[in-house]
Amino acid sequence: MVDVLISVDLEGVAGIATKQQIHPGGHDYPIARALMTAEANAAVAGAFDGGATSVVVNDSHGPADNLLGEQLDRRADYVVGDPKPLDMVQEVTPQTGVVLFVGYHAGAADPAGVLAHTYSGGGFADVRLNGRSIGEAELNALVAAAMGVPVGLVTGDDVICAVAEKAFPGVVTVPVKTALGRTAARSKHPAVAREAIAAGAARAVASAISGAIRPVTIPDELAIEAELRPNGAAEMAALVPGTERTGARTVRFQATSPRTALDVLIVWSALTSHYLSR
C-alpha cells in the first residue's frame, strides 16, 4: 500500500514536439491539453493497478492550469495553479511512497532533447549543480529524496529516459518518442504510449511497495548555478540574498538543502522571465 504523486509535464507527452503545441494560443494547444490529461490518466490507472492507496496528480507545466479536470480519473486528486511551494513536486511528503514523472523532458543544455529547457523556457541557457548540468527531473528528484521519496517512473523522449536511467536507481522509463531535433520527434501513437505508461506506472509502484527502489543520494554540497540568456537578468538575479554573480550572464548560490536550491532557481526564473517579456 503506497501513496503516489504523479508530476505531469507537457513537453514529453507523445505527439508533442513544437512550441505552438505547448503554449496557450497555439492552434494545437487544446489538443495537447487532452493528450497530457490522457497520459496522466494512464499513469493513475497504472499506479492503482500496481497497488497505490491514493494518487495525487500535480500539473507541472508552465502556469499549471493545463489538465482537463473533468476528464481526469476520478480516483485521483489533482493540483492546479502556480506558484506553489514545491513547484513540480507539490504534495510530496515523507508519507509519499513514490513519485512518477510523466511527460518530462531534457535540460536546457542538452543538445538533442525535444523542447529541452530547465524551468525557464527561454531564460536559462544552462543550470548546473556542483558544476554539472542538470534538468528539472534531477532537481525534483533531490527535493523528493530530502523527504525519503524515490522516483519510480520517468516518461518522455528517449533523451530524458536515458538521463533518468543513469540518475535514478531502479527507475522504470517509458520513451514515448525519439528526438529528431529540438522541435521534431518520431512519436508512438498516443494510445500505444498510454498503454506503455500504464504498464510502467504499475511496475514502478509495485517496485516501491517491495522496496526495490530508493531515493537519489543528496550530495554534501549543493552549489546551484544558472547561465541566463537575457541581458540584464544576471544583474537582477544577483540581488537575491546569498547569490553571487560569477560572470556577465551567470549567477551562483550555495544552497543548504534541495528545497532551498529549488526556491532560488524559481526566483531566478521569474526574474529572467521579466526580462524576456520586455
Side-chain angles (χ1 to χ4, degrees):
M1 304 292 285
V2 63
D3 296 329
V4 176
L5 171 63
I6 301 175
S7 174
V8 187
D9 207 346
L10 179 53
E11 287 87 353
V13 168
I16 302 300
T18 68
K19 292 181 179 179
Q20 64 87 17
Q21 291 177 295
I22 63 172
H23 294 302
H27 59 82
D28 284 328
Y29 174 67
I31 296 172
R33 294 181 69 191
L35 292 172
M36 180 185 182
T37 303
E39 288 201 1
N41 281 339
V44 171
F48 279 114
D49 287 345
T53 307
S54 68
V55 176
V56 177
V57 179
N58 182 37
D59 191 323
S60 298
H61 177 69
D65 56 1
N66 311 277
L67 291 169
L68 302 173
E70 190 67 29
Q71 295 180 19
L72 277 171
D73 190 315
R74 62 186 299 165
R75 294 174 292 178
D77 289 347
Y78 72 107
V79 181
V80 60
D82 185 69
K84 46 203 172 193
L86 294 177
D87 201 64
M88 296 179 74
V89 285
Q90 182 61 42
E91 299 307 281
V92 68
T93 73
Q95 286 70 50
T96 304
V98 65
V99 177
L100 312 182
F101 292 163
V102 175
Y104 267 55
H105 53 81
D110 195 287
V114 175
L115 296 166
H117 67 278
T118 305
Y119 292 102
S120 175
F124 292 157
D126 193 11
V127 173
R128 295 181 287 271
L129 181 68
N130 301 333
R132 184 179 66 85
S133 294
I134 63 166
E136 296 166 7
E138 292 148 294
L139 186 52
N140 291 337
L142 287 171
V143 174
M147 300 189 194
V149 181
V151 176
L153 174 73
V154 175
T155 81
D157 67 13
D158 58 319
V159 178
I160 186 57
C161 287
V163 169
E165 287 168 1
K166 293 180 180 179
F168 307 148
V171 72
V172 175
T173 59
V174 179
V176 300
K177 56 192 173 189
T178 301
L180 301 177
R182 182 170 175 78
T183 54
R186 174 173 173 167
S187 180
K188 294 183 181 298
H189 187 282
V192 174
R194 292 193 289 268
E195 290 172 358
I197 290 169
R203 292 198 306 274
V205 173
S207 292
I209 292 172
S210 70
I213 55 175
R214 62 187 187 277
V216 297
T217 300
I218 300 173
D220 293 334
E221 183 180 19
L222 293 166
I224 192 80
E225 186 176 31
E227 182 180 345
L228 311 177
R229 285 196 175 100
N231 290 327
E235 180 181 0
M236 182 64 72
L239 297 177
V240 175
T243 298
E244 175 190 5
R245 186 172 182 178
T246 55
R249 295 177 182 271
T250 56
V251 288
R252 184 179 184 274
F253 184 92
Q254 189 71 40
T256 56
S257 68
R259 170 67 185 276
T260 304
L262 175 64
D263 288 347
V264 170
L265 191 62
I266 295 302
V267 173
W268 287 348
S269 176
L271 293 171
T272 303
S273 297
H274 167 73
Y275 277 87
L276 286 171
S277 65
R278 294 177 66 179

